[in-house]
Amino acid sequence: MPWTKILAENNKLIDTDIDGDKKAGREITYREALLEAQDQLLANDSKVFVYGEGVDDAGSIFGSTKGLHEKYGIKRVFDTPLSESALTGVAVGAALAGMRPILVHMRMDFLLLTLDQIINHAAIWHYSFSGQIKVPVIIRCIVGRGWGSGPQHSQSLEALLYHVPGLRVYMPATPYDAKGLMMEAVKDGHPTIFIEHRWLYDKKGQVPEAPYSVEKGKGRVVVEGSDVTIVATSLMVHESATAVKKLAEEGIKAELIDLRTIKPLDEDIILKSVAKTGKLVVTDYGWHTGGVASSISCMVSEKGFSSLRKPVKRVTCPDIPTPTAHNLEAAYYPSADDVANAVRELCS
Amino acid sequence: MLTKENKLNMFSTAYRIRRLEEKICEVYGKQEIKTPVHLYIGEEAIATGVSQNLVKEDLIFSTHRSHGHYLAKGGNLKNMVAEFYGKENGCAGGKGGSMHLIDVEAGIPGSTAIVGGGIPIATGAALALQLKGTDKVAVAYFGDGAADEGVLQESMNFAGLKNLPIIFVCENNFYATNSFQMKRHADDNIYKRGECYKVPGELVDGNDVEAVYHTAKKAIERARRGEGPSLIEAKTYRWKGHVGPDEDTNLGHRTNEELEGWKQRCPIKLYREKLFKEGVLDEGSYQNLKREIDNEVEEAFEFAYKSNDVPMENMYKHLF
Ligand SMILES: Cc1ncc(C[n+]2csc(CCOP(=O)(O)OP(=O)(O)O)c2C)c(N)n1
Ligand SMILES: [Mg+2]
């Protein structure tokens, strides 16, 4: 929807130079990486189909499904009624009958209508029937922000899904991971919530043209450092990268970890880093209470307590619905400054 | 029988909604209204005709496209514009924006931007009005897109089961964002969808203020008498794109001819012509009325503009 376009175009946050793992000799945007992944999946696997509200219109999910309905036909790439709950059940059913659906929501908030099918059905199926059958469903959803998106068009609800056994939750921060993790999700074949941030769509990065997958549950050290560990996902990886640069000017060497997928979670990469630095800042876009950051800090206190030299710090959204007024909205989101301040407090 | 006063009131309401939104279009480019706006231009007859039958204590529930519903029900214009600007004086204290309008005094307990979200809420309000033993009604406004949501069926069944005083008003403007109705519906029959739940339906020309008024009157009186829910499908057309002040015929999902055809059937123009013919309005009284409303809208924008930003400490207010 155009309202976030205005801000996404103006936003400077994504001008950091974090990139994918490999120098592919080809730079494309996050949006293009998503499109390419789906394009190649549709081309190489007749079981894959893509659907959701607006996948075939001029906007094409902010450009991430552009042209696919023309290339693969409207049987495999189609617009839907506004019936999110039923259409999630449709994904589960199609998956049980052998297909590999990719369902898209323009806003993660709309996925709330579908939690019954996700949590009571998709997530339990494999386990509760003792592994006899898999549910290879991918649900893409985009977290909005800005231009008064307000309380129902901006929620980053990864914690809700992180809580649920039987799901995968992927949160790519780079174009490289956007493509590689989408491929991974289809290969893996378990229900996957694929969370994209709208402000990442114009972010450019190195992406190989040939299909590849990024291993789930493997985080990445984006910047090495020895003074403090910063753990981040999605857009917060970029905010944190900005913070790391500022901190470096002050002589603080922060290590930045991009988790890439939160479920499965790469506990080792966090614990190893904390063993080195003794200090941890965890940041995410969810709310403060009961969030992914909370869970990670708990994990570290259980498994890495002896490494910790300071209490863990969380940098998250405050525990309030997203306010709409511009000044409140700006103050609401965690920023590079908030990450840097948290680090400074730990390192002082 | 509609009195001259009723007719003038409806014309003023429809024109006020139009003028408000034209003004939004004029200033939106300055990027000072930092919230998405879903404009109702072309659809004004519906809220106007429905609300003419409502009193303050009746409750309406609206959607992302809520400006018209709000104004027609008597929502405060100044506070609404202040809300667009994210000001302290906004009807939602600046925390909601254009999609989340509220005027409790006027019988508007809040609008929601989750498609279909308001439908069961309106149904619950109708249950409350019934339990309290009043003759007041609830109105659920929603679009043809919301008609896709299962919750409409569940709500109509419950309303039919409990004989609730609710009017389900579907504004069928043929599109949900860029998706044409018949790309989403197996059949073109929204107004019939309540039949199996004892929710009788009627189809009405949503660009004809008085036709909407009479159809709504029947449904609302029925509800007030305790005879239960009704469904109204009002066919209409939105002139602007799904969101924002621009037209969108360049996007490919609808044609300029289609849009122009509907502009010929502008609800305000049609009603003005009718009232001129009936002698209810003449050039002089029309110009006076227009001037008055234009001023009202200007004043509302000035009020909004001069209002204070939301104080930062309000961020944590209203938490519990
Ligand atoms: C549950 C849900 N799904 C999707 C959306 C995104 N969305 C906002 S408005 C809209 C179209 C609604 O169409 P309709 O109900 O016909 O109302 P109109 O905009 O035409 O007035 C969509 C898909 C949403 N807000 N909520
Ligand atoms: Mg519509």
Side-chain angles (χ1 to χ4, degrees):
Chain A
M1 273 173 231
W3 76 75
T4 52
K5 194 163 162 262
I6 301 175
L7 268 202
E9 279 169 358
N10 294 339
N11 103 69
K12 302 272 182 310
L13 298 170
I14 55 174
D15 281 350
T16 50
D17 49 11
I18 351 164
D19 207 341
D21 286 341
K22 300 202 175 95
K23 289 284 163 219
R26 193 181 64 123
E27 213 180 50
I28 62 174
T29 62
Y30 191 91
R31 160 192 296 110
E32 288 162 343
L34 290 166
L35 177 61
E36 188 168 276
Q38 292 165 104
D39 190 348
Q40 292 177 351
L41 287 164
L42 283 159
N44 297 334
D45 186 347
S46 61
K47 296 191 286 302
V48 171
F49 64 98
V50 177
Y51 69 112
E53 294 159 26
V55 296
D56 65 345
D57 73 8
S60 314
I61 318 288
F62 312 116
S64 67
T65 56
K66 201 161 200 66
L68 293 178
H69 68 288
E70 280 153 357
K71 197 160 168 189
Y72 298 100
I74 56 169
K75 279 197 169 156
R76 294 184 69 205
V77 180
F78 55 89
D79 188 26
T80 68
L82 281 60
S83 309
E84 293 84 358
S85 176
L87 287 160
T88 306
V90 164
V92 175
L96 291 174
M99 301 298 280
R100 287 172 178 265
I102 301 177
L103 168 60
V104 197
H105 300 291
M106 292 243 283
R107 284 286 187 284
M108 188 161 194
D109 314 65
F110 311 154
L111 172 144
L112 285 173
L113 279 73
T114 73
L115 287 184
D116 167 56
Q117 282 298 331
I118 295 176
I119 300 176
N120 280 330
H121 298 89
I124 64 107
W125 217 267
H126 184 73
Y127 177 85
S128 302
F129 295 110
S130 291
Q132 296 177 70
I133 195 161
K134 286 173 106 175
V135 188
V137 168
I138 300 179
I139 300 173
R140 289 182 51 204
C141 50
I142 296 146
V143 177
R145 171 173 169 178
W147 204 253
S149 288
Q152 297 174 333
H153 285 75
S154 62
Q155 297 170 89
S156 196
L157 299 162
E158 61 269 26
L160 286 185
L161 300 147
Y162 178 71
H163 183 63
V164 180
L167 294 180
R168 308 278 197 214
V169 183
Y170 296 179
M171 299 189 72
T174 61
Y176 181 87
D177 286 353
K179 178 172 174 184
L181 285 173
M182 180 89 73
M183 297 278 179
E184 173 78 355
V186 172
K187 197 172 85 181
D188 173 59
H190 285 302
T192 302
I193 313 298
F194 200 90
I195 304 174
E196 305 156 18
H197 198 288
R198 174 67 183 93
W199 281 20
L200 293 173
Y201 268 53
D202 293 319
K203 164 80 188 141
K204 283 189 178 151
Q206 297 286 325
V207 176
E209 196 165 346
Y212 61 92
S213 50
V214 166
E215 196 181 344
K216 63 188 170 290
K218 289 270 178 265
R220 186 166 70 93
V221 175
V222 181
V223 183
E224 279 187 38
S226 49
D227 294 336
V228 58
T229 301
I230 303 171
V231 170
T233 53
S234 192
L235 186 58
M236 284 315 290
V237 175
H238 299 265
E239 292 278 7
S240 301
T242 305
V244 167
K245 273 191 192 161
K246 277 190 209 166
L247 292 164
E249 288 162 17
E250 299 165 25
I252 299 175
K253 296 188 206 69
E255 177 146 301
L256 172 59
I257 294 171
D258 172 4
L259 290 174
R260 306 163 113 185
T261 71
I262 55 172
K263 201 173 178 74
L265 176 71
D266 190 348
E267 295 187 352
D268 285 350
I269 199 171
I270 302 170
L271 291 168
K272 230 186 253 167
S273 177
V274 174
K276 178 169 66 173
T277 63
K279 300 181 209 83
L280 175 63
V281 172
V282 199
T283 172
D284 72 41
Y285 253 90
W287 290 301
H288 200 64
T289 301
V292 175
S294 313
S295 183
I296 289 173
S297 45
C298 173
M299 182 278 289
V300 173
S301 72
E302 281 176 348
K303 299 187 181 173
F305 189 69
S306 59
S307 309
L308 284 173
R309 281 185 276 129
K310 287 278 178 75
V312 178
K313 278 205 173 291
R314 288 174 287 164
V315 178
T316 64
C317 287
D319 283 336
I320 52 178
T322 315
T324 299
H326 195 64
N327 56 342
L328 299 190
E329 185 186 60
Y332 172 76
Y333 285 104
S335 65
D337 283 342
D338 296 323
V339 176
N341 285 336
V343 167
R344 286 182 194 117
E345 278 177 45
L346 286 184
C347 292
S348 65
Chain B
M1 258 298 284
L2 280 166
T3 62
K4 182 177 168 185
E5 200 190 350
N6 294 152
K7 287 173 186 251
L8 284 175
N9 187 48
M10 286 203 284
F11 184 77
S12 300
T13 299
Y15 180 74
R16 184 176 297 107
I17 301 170
R18 174 65 58 91
R19 184 58 212 141
L20 163 82
E21 295 202 325
E22 281 175 352
K23 180 75 188 177
I24 295 173
C25 294
E26 285 162 31
V27 303
Y28 201 68
K30 292 188 193 165
Q31 302 205 5
E32 289 167 349
I33 294 180
K34 295 184 195 317
T35 178
V37 286
H38 299 79
L39 302 180
Y40 196 58
I41 294 181
E43 309 189 15
E44 296 92 342
I46 302 169
T48 301
V50 170
S51 263
Q52 184 66 28
N53 293 284
L54 299 177
V55 296
K56 223 168 93 175
E57 297 77 14
D58 294 320
L59 301 175
I60 65 153
F61 293 85
S62 175
T63 66
H64 56 288
R65 201 174 301 290
S66 54
H67 308 163
H69 306 145
Y70 173 95
L71 274 187
K73 184 63 171 56
N76 184 292
L77 173 62
K78 286 183 171 163
N79 299 135
M80 173 203 220
V81 179
E83 188 61 31
F84 299 161
Y85 282 90
K87 297 294 182 80
E88 186 179 18
N89 281 328
C91 61
K95 286 181 175 171
S98 142
M99 299 189 284
H100 300 285
L101 300 179
I102 182 165
D103 189 332
V104 178
E105 284 292 299
I108 309 164
S111 60
T112 168
I114 294 298
V115 169
I119 298 172
I121 296 177
T123 307
L127 177 67
L129 295 170
Q130 184 190 59
L131 288 173
K132 288 189 200 167
T134 71
D135 67 345
K136 301 300 178 281
V137 305
V139 174
Y141 288 108
F142 57 96
D144 52 294
D148 307 1
E149 299 281 2
V151 75
L152 171 63
Q153 303 299 317
E154 298 172 32
S155 300
M156 286 198 297
N157 178 51
F158 184 73
L161 177 71
K162 298 281 186 188
N163 215 34
L164 298 181
I166 179 167
I167 297 84
F168 298 96
V169 180
C170 180
E171 301 179 315
N172 183 359
N173 59 14
F174 301 99
Y175 293 90
T177 53
N178 303 334
S179 182
F180 182 56
Q181 182 203 352
M182 297 317 293
K183 239 174 111 199
R184 292 174 288 109
H185 293 177
D187 200 356
D188 179 11
N189 62 358
I190 296 173
Y191 70 100
K192 289 185 189 160
R193 292 188 188 178
E195 274 171 13
C196 51
Y197 310 119
K198 296 196 169 166
V199 183
E202 208 162 314
L203 183 63
V204 66
D205 177 354
N207 282 30
D208 180 335
V209 175
E210 292 194 7
V212 174
Y213 167 81
H214 290 297
T215 305
K217 184 178 167 68
K218 230 169 43 184
I220 291 168
E221 285 179 350
R222 191 177 116 83
R224 291 203 199 287
R225 288 194 303 268
E227 291 168 20
S230 306
L231 168 63
I232 296 170
E233 177 185 354
K235 288 200 173 173
T236 185
Y237 202 77
R238 87 172 131 67
W239 292 8
K240 301 293 183 177
H242 169 68
V243 61
D246 302 324
E247 288 177 359
D248 65 351
T249 50
N250 59 325
L251 298 183
H253 61 282
R254 59 178 187 169
T255 63
N256 213 32
E257 291 74 61
E258 184 178 282
L259 172 59
E260 288 307 319
W262 280 93
K263 282 188 179 172
Q264 297 305 311
R265 300 205 57 250
C266 168
I268 291 166
K269 186 186 85 168
L270 292 180
Y271 201 36
R272 188 187 61 221
E273 286 168 2
K274 182 174 156 64
L275 295 188
F276 266 76
K277 219 178 272 167
E278 291 177 1
V280 173
L281 265 183
D282 59 25
E283 194 53 38
S285 57
Y286 170 61
Q287 290 303 339
N288 282 343
L289 180 151
K290 247 178 81 164
R291 198 170 324 112
E292 226 167 81
I293 292 173
D294 292 357
N295 284 339
E296 218 183 296
V297 170
E298 289 306 315
E299 277 169 23
F301 275 77
E302 245 157 66
F303 170 84
Y305 215 81
K306 285 190 189 142
S307 294
N308 292 327
D309 285 344
V310 183
M312 289 311 286
E313 65 263 26
N314 284 12
M315 181 107 145
Y316 293 98
K317 239 188 188 172
H318 314 117
L319 268 185
F320 50 86

